[in-house]
Amino acid sequence: MKKAIEPAQAIQRVKVGMTGLAFVLLLIGLASAIFSSVNRERPVAAIGAAKPDVVANLTNANTTDPLASAQKEPLAELGVAPSTSTPTPDTPPSAAKPRQ
């Protein structure tokens, strides 16, 4: 048969459990306070590092023709892959010599 738990032992177990629970809640609150204060601070700018407000306002200064860059095929230029564009003749069709 099981021996009945004494009331003093049950009270001691409840006290230990409640103390442990309070300690865990205290740790969670402390960690939450630390992390929330870190999120509110402005990031530290190191010397020579990129500045976020300047980087966010940069514009694309690309002055090249987008069609010219689209027609470049580096693999076709190297001879690794066939070209997908149609070759343009150097002379107009009216000036081409007829075949005999």
Side-chain angles (χ1 to χ4, degrees):
M1 235 194 213
K2 287 187 174 182
K3 194 174 183 183
I5 299 176
E6 295 178 22
Q9 188 179 9
I11 292 173
Q12 177 68 24
R13 287 184 181 190
V14 169
K15 284 182 181 178
V16 169
M18 295 300 273
T19 305
L21 184 62
F23 183 71
V24 168
L25 290 175
L26 182 69
L27 282 179
I28 290 172
L30 181 64
S32 176
I34 290 172
F35 282 116
S36 67
S37 69
V38 169
N39 288 338
R40 282 183 275 164
E41 291 180 6
R42 187 177 172 110
V44 177
I47 297 174
K51 296 177 182 163
D53 53 344
V54 175
V55 172
N57 293 327
L58 287 178
T59 60
N60 188 1
N62 189 1
T63 59
T64 61
D65 184 21
L67 294 176
S69 64
Q71 293 175 350
K72 290 183 180 178
E73 298 181 25
L75 294 178
E77 289 176 6
L78 292 172
V80 176
S83 176
T84 58
S85 64
T86 58
T88 57
D90 293 338
T91 58
S94 61
K97 296 180 182 178
R99 288 181 93 174
Q100 295 180 3

